Each structure stands twice: as C-alpha cells, then as structure tokens.
Amino acid sequence: NADIWSIGVILYEMLTGTCPYQSNSIASLISTIEEQPLSFDGNISLKLKSFVCKCLQKESKLRFSWE
C-alpha cells in the first residue's frame, strides 16, 4: 500500500508541480495528512484527479491495490 501512496504523490507532483502535503516536521506532516483534504491546482481532468485521490486515500483499506 505504501507503493501505491508513493505513486499518488509522484503523479500529484507531476500534475501540479508541488507536493500534496507539506510540513516542517513529521508530526506536523502526519497531522496535515489526516486533517487536510487533497486539493488540486490547475486544469486536471476529473478522471485523473479521481485516480490520484484513490492512490492517496488516507485509509489504506480503501486505497488502490496491486490486484
């Protein structure tokens, strides 16, 4: 599941030019990921947004899997 998350982060960065979640510390980053909804800047198709969101699903059981 961590690999799927990583793919989502890379795709997000390729599409937007920024990291999906940014922070100065690990504790703050975890809090940001848990509390902040994912948002997209720019003109990105709904299908691609949906794919990235499913890769970056916070609950690992709901995230895409390799199967």
Side-chain angles (χ1 to χ4, degrees), residues 38-51:
L38 190 61
S39 64
F40 290 86
D41 294 331
N43 189 16
I44 301 166
S45 74
L46 291 176
K47 285 185 179 184
L48 197 47
K49 285 180 186 180
S50 175
F51 181 80

Side-chain angles (χ1 to χ4, degrees), residues 25-63:
S25 71
I26 296 295
S28 178
L29 178 62
I30 291 169
S31 176
T32 300
I33 290 170
E34 290 174 349
E35 296 172 9
Q36 209 175 67
L38 190 61
S39 64
F40 290 86
D41 294 331
N43 189 16
I44 301 166
S45 74
L46 291 176
K47 285 185 179 184
L48 197 47
K49 285 180 186 180
S50 175
F51 181 80
V52 173
C53 285
K54 289 178 183 175
C55 288
L56 294 176
Q57 187 63 241
K58 295 170 188 174
E59 193 172 328
S60 64
K61 292 179 181 181
L62 301 175
R63 197 175 304 147

Side-chain angles (χ1 to χ4, degrees), residues 7-20 44 48 52:
I7 289 169
V9 169
I10 291 167
L11 287 172
Y12 184 94
E13 289 181 355
M14 290 173 62
L15 293 167
T16 66
T18 63
C19 188
I44 301 166
L48 197 47
V52 173

